[in-house]
Amino acid sequence: MEVNIPNGVWPTMLTPFTTTNEVDYEALGQLVEWYIAQGVHGLFAVCQSSEMFYLTLEERVRIAQFVKEKSNGRVPVIASGHISDEFEEQVNELKRMADTGVDAVVLVSNRFAGPEESDEVWLNRAEQLLNRVPDVLFGIYECPYPYKRLMSPKLLKWCADTGRFGFLKDTSCDIKQIAEKIDAVKGSPLKIFNANSATLLASLRLGVAGFSGVMANFHPDLYVRLSECGDFQTETAEMIQAFIGPASLIELQMYPVNAKYHLQRIGLSLEMHCRTRDAGTFRENQKSEVMQLDQLYQLFKQQLKPKQNVTV
């Protein structure tokens, strides 16, 4: 099975909505172009940042298909939309997602077992799913909603050994756990992407493939620069890490409304409307936080050394 999951930055895409609560495909097209212009290496559509738990199945499928078509082969696209509780409904939604032509269908780690159920239960249900949805490359997303189920190294090794998995979005925020997972999948096509900004540089030094998280909706160029720097011991790498860690605290302040406000400020034509949060309660001080972070980002960029072009 072909695995097309390049190392680097995979933004967790937002879903723009109109003020009448419809998916805004014109704005979504602008967003795809913006991510690609920032140099990202792939797109993760229909995830929690996309408000997937508040999208109908038809919306989830259409968004994934739209992003795949709009990217037009410039970067690969993966998508989840794996939100159902019942197994048969999961099979249906994942088959529908696979039919969009995305490069991998991302499974949500908490969908195959409840909080009190064992990894063996998870494995049995995942094995059933692989049999029911053949010839499809999968990813795994340790989505924190409705509860966070982290993948154990043993379970992750089983996934790697099937040859059917190419992507893990790790949300442990724990360097020790990340190191154990890297070791578990060594030599396999399964790549681990860190969702946590504060631990990113340390995890790159350990061997993670890149970043897939919220903050690629704010500063994707910095994450691209860090992931592509080659030598993760440089002063530039340390400088970028020193910025992106504290900057990521903005995630805790009315996301994804604040991300949409940021994108408005830099020229994208999208509304702040969300289904997960009431944009009408986005306070002036929260707007100021975004504006001040934008100013700090511009000042920080002035301090970075120009990127060196390496010629062979």
Side-chain angles (χ1 to χ4, degrees):
M1 178 176 292
E2 183 181 358
V3 179
N4 183 25
I5 306 293
N7 292 4
V9 178
W10 291 70
T12 51
M13 293 185 64
L14 302 170
T15 299
F17 297 102
T18 66
T19 54
T20 57
N21 205 31
E22 301 295 325
V23 177
D24 187 341
Y25 286 97
E26 182 176 348
L28 182 58
Q30 288 185 36
L31 193 55
V32 169
E33 295 300 329
W34 178 74
Y35 289 129
I36 293 174
Q38 298 299 304
V40 304
H41 305 88
L43 296 172
F44 184 1
V46 199
C47 54
Q48 190 172 14
S49 284
S50 315
E51 304 179 69
M52 68 178 179
F53 290 95
Y54 295 79
L55 299 170
T56 67
L57 176 56
E58 295 306 319
E59 287 173 330
R60 282 175 267 149
V61 168
R62 187 181 172 197
I63 288 169
Q65 189 170 35
F66 178 90
V67 173
K68 178 63 179 174
E69 291 174 354
K70 186 69 175 175
S71 65
N72 196 28
R74 291 174 291 173
V75 295
V77 176
I78 61 177
S80 182
H82 181 205
I83 69 171
S84 296
D85 294 321
E86 297 300 322
F87 182 75
E88 290 301 323
E89 292 178 7
Q90 293 180 38
V91 170
N92 178 53
E93 68 191 358
L94 293 168
K95 283 183 174 179
R96 292 284 305 278
M97 193 59 71
D99 288 343
T100 66
V102 293
D103 296 273
V105 177
V106 182
L107 307 178
V108 170
S109 60
N110 60 42
R111 296 292 80 198
F112 291 147
E116 307 306 320
E117 292 183 301
S118 68
D119 279 358
E120 286 70 27
V121 171
W122 192 99
L123 188 152
N124 289 335
R125 290 175 183 156
E127 193 167 32
Q128 291 179 54
L129 188 279
L130 295 187
N131 291 332
R132 293 287 299 278
V133 189
D135 305 318
V136 172
L137 180 68
F138 288 108
I140 306 168
Y141 170 23
E142 295 176 338
C143 182
Y145 179 86
Y147 84 97
K148 184 184 285 193
R149 188 182 189 97
L150 298 176
M151 300 290 289
S152 68
K154 182 179 178 180
L155 197 55
L156 201 59
K157 184 179 188 308
W158 176 86
C159 293
D161 288 346
T162 68
R164 296 284 303 279
F165 291 86
F167 177 96
L168 170 72
K169 178 181 173 181
D170 180 276
T171 65
S172 69
C173 310
D174 184 302
I175 284 297
K176 183 176 183 294
Q177 291 189 48
I178 291 172
E180 291 171 349
K181 290 176 180 177
I182 291 170
D183 187 60
V185 304
K186 192 172 295 181
S188 80
L190 202 169
K191 296 183 178 182
I192 296 174
F193 292 80
N194 192 351
N196 177 249
S197 298
T199 58
L200 182 57
L201 179 57
S203 68
L204 287 167
R205 288 170 174 167
L206 289 174
V208 299
F211 178 75
S212 183
V214 164
M215 291 306 294
N217 289 303
F218 285 89
H219 313 122
D221 58 325
L222 293 182
Y223 289 86
V224 168
R225 176 85 182 266
L226 181 57
S227 72
E228 292 181 347
C229 73
D231 181 359
F232 299 121
Q233 306 297 330
T234 63
E235 180 183 358
T236 295
E238 293 281 359
M239 283 183 63
I240 294 173
Q241 180 60 63
F243 177 85
I244 64 175
S248 69
L249 292 173
I250 200 76
E251 293 181 37
L252 306 177
Q253 300 293 339
M254 201 69 174
Y255 180 81
V257 176
N258 59 4
K260 293 181 177 182
Y261 178 63
H262 160 73
L263 292 167
Q264 273 188 359
R265 282 179 43 79
I266 63 172
L268 275 70
S269 300
L270 77 170
E271 300 290 338
M272 287 194 294
H273 182 81
C274 295
R275 292 181 182 176
T276 55
R277 296 208 182 224
D278 180 2
T281 65
F282 191 50
R283 303 188 304 272
E284 289 301 315
N285 69 298
Q286 292 171 320
K287 291 180 181 179
S288 294
E289 290 168 354
V290 174
M291 289 188 286
Q292 290 165 21
L293 181 58
D294 288 348
Q295 291 171 336
L296 182 61
Y297 162 76
Q298 293 298 334
L299 292 169
F300 174 75
K301 289 268 287 185
Q302 293 172 20
Q303 302 304 312
L304 274 182
K305 294 178 182 178
K307 187 174 181 180
Q308 298 297 315
N309 293 320
V310 178
T311 57
V312 178

